[in-house]
Amino acid sequence: MASARAMIERRRSSRILIRIPVKVFSKGAFGTPLDTPAEAIAVSRYGALIRTPYSPDLGSRIEVLNGLSQETQEFRVVRISDAKEDGQYELASRRFIPRTTSGHPVS
């Protein structure tokens, strides 16, 4: 397992600990749409750590609406914690940046 120092050096950008009310949009069981209040507890240029009352599938895409700016971003779930004592899950998510067929980001 990598040391904490190695993990820090691997990050592309630093995290900012902050509490932002968000709303998470995803698909639930059988493809039913979910619209869930949540909270971003850490953000970086490339992703966010989000506390939610449910656990989407690992690798799934979610849309997150920032409750302060009303901006929506698309993310991919890259890690899910076990439920905490309060029933909340922590989702590590990476910002989804669509790419063209040439592999370059879409502007």
Side-chain angles (χ1 to χ4, degrees):
M1 180 149 198
S3 69
R5 183 174 179 84
M7 295 288 284
I8 290 169
E9 291 173 4
R10 215 175 79 183
R11 293 201 177 282
R12 292 187 284 176
S13 66
S14 59
R15 287 184 179 166
I16 298 171
L17 300 178
I18 191 166
R19 295 177 71 176
I20 301 172
V22 297
K23 192 173 275 195
V24 176
F25 300 92
S26 65
K27 292 189 178 171
F30 308 109
T32 57
L34 293 176
D35 168 356
T36 309
E39 179 179 47
I41 57 175
V43 296
S44 74
R45 183 175 182 180
Y46 299 101
L49 184 61
I50 303 168
R51 289 176 45 88
T52 66
Y54 76 101
S55 173
D57 292 334
L58 187 63
S60 63
R61 288 187 189 178
I62 58 174
E63 283 190 29
V64 178
L65 171 68
N66 181 321
L68 302 177
S69 69
Q70 298 301 303
E71 180 183 357
T72 301
Q73 290 280 325
E74 192 171 357
F75 293 84
R76 182 173 306 280
V77 178
V78 295
R79 185 178 52 81
I80 305 167
S81 73
D82 292 332
K84 306 293 183 193
E85 289 182 17
D86 62 0
Q88 297 283 312
Y89 296 87
E90 290 183 358
L91 310 178
S93 57
R94 182 172 295 141
R95 197 170 71 155
F96 181 74
I97 302 171
R99 300 196 179 271
T100 64
T101 55
S102 66
H104 295 21
V106 175
S107 302

